[in-house]
């Protein structure tokens, strides 16, 4: 009789322990973060426009308002934009980054309604695009070419209009005086000859 009672008590203890283990197991199986983009401690050199976090289970349906993602720079300014989006077991948010260090703060609600949160950091070192250097235009000027205009003054090596060339060292005025004297002398000779011819006639 005592042996039966002892066996029953032992069985009850064993069953109670199993029920206790089975009752605690679901409570210990909360969702957990399994990965992120970017990863914790990563140095990102490619363009990045959003941060994504992946969990072991999808967020609890209807509790999207309890999901949070905040990305802050070294000054504590939140650079994330828009709302948290959910796709399967991943939730994410858009970001507008400049080169520097960032911290991601997140809050997630598991399917059993239990909220969990955490944080991680990464560094952004994307190359900055530079504008191409401009080259000066080679388009010719539309202004017409300037042509020299003739002048009426005589050149240094040529004679003036209407005057004969003068030998070097003799001024043109001297030649004019000599020519006038020659003409007067010739005229005087002609007059003298005419007078002599008139006297010799009968």
């Amino acid at each position: 009789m005592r042996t039966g009672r002892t066996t029953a008590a032992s069985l009850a203890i064993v069953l109670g322990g199993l029920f206790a283990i089975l009752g605690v197991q679901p409570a210990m199986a909360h969702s957990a973060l399994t990965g992120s983009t970017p990863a914790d401690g990563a140095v990102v050199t490619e363009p990045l426009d959003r941060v994504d976090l992946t969990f072991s289970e999808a967020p609890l349906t209807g509790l999207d308002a309890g999901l949070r993602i905040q990305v802050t720079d070294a000054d504590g300014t939140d650079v994330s934009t828009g709302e948290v989006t959910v796709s399967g077991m991943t939730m994410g948010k858009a970001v507008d980054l400049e080169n520097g260090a960032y911290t991601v703060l997140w809050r997630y609600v598991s399917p059993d309604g239990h909220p969990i949160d955490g944080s991680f950091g990464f560094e952004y070192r994307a190359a900055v695009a530079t504008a191409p250097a401009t080259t000066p235009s080679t388009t010719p000027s539309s202004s017409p070419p300037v042509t020299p205009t003739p002048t009426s003054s005589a050149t240094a090596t040529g004679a003036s209009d209407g005057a004969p060339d003068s030998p070097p060292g003799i001024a043109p005025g001297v030649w004019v005086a000599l020519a006038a004297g020659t003409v007067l002398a010739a005229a005087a000779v002609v007059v003298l000859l005419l007078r002599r011819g008139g006297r010799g006639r009968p």
Side-chain angles (χ1 to χ4, degrees), residues 26-111:
M28 296 176 61
H30 293 308
S31 300
L33 179 67
T34 59
S36 63
T37 303
D40 184 15
V43 177
V44 181
T45 57
E46 298 295 331
L48 182 69
D49 58 3
R50 65 180 290 111
V51 171
D52 292 317
L53 294 87
T54 302
F55 296 84
S56 56
E57 296 180 284
L60 183 62
T61 304
L63 292 182
D64 291 349
L67 307 179
R68 297 285 185 271
I69 295 178
Q70 187 176 15
V71 183
T72 59
D73 59 16
D75 297 330
T77 303
D78 186 6
V79 297
S80 60
T81 59
E83 300 293 333
V84 175
T85 60
V86 177
S87 177
M89 293 182 292
T90 300
M91 68 179 191
K93 195 174 184 182
V95 292
D96 184 10
L97 305 180
E98 296 180 355
N99 287 350
Y102 292 90
T103 301
V104 180
L105 306 172
W106 56 267
R107 184 177 186 272
Y108 166 83
V109 180
S110 61

Side-chain angles (χ1 to χ4, degrees), residues 154-172 175-176:
T155 62
T157 57
S160 60
D161 295 342
D165 295 340
S166 300
I170 301 177
W175 283 101
V176 174

Side-chain angles (χ1 to χ4, degrees), residues 120-195:
F120 64 90
F122 69 93
E123 188 171 352
Y124 188 60
R125 295 182 185 173
V128 179
T130 57
T134 58
T135 56
S137 174
T138 57
T139 305
S141 173
S142 59
S143 300
V146 178
T147 56
T149 56
T151 59
S152 59
S153 60
T155 62
T157 57
S160 60
D161 295 342
D165 295 340
S166 300
I170 301 177
V174 176
W175 283 101
V176 174
L178 292 176
T182 302
V183 172
L184 291 176
V189 171
V190 171
V191 172
L192 181 60
L193 291 175
L194 290 176
R195 287 181 179 179

Side-chain angles (χ1 to χ4, degrees), residues 1-6:
M1 191 70 176
R2 290 180 178 178
T3 302
R5 291 179 180 177
T6 302

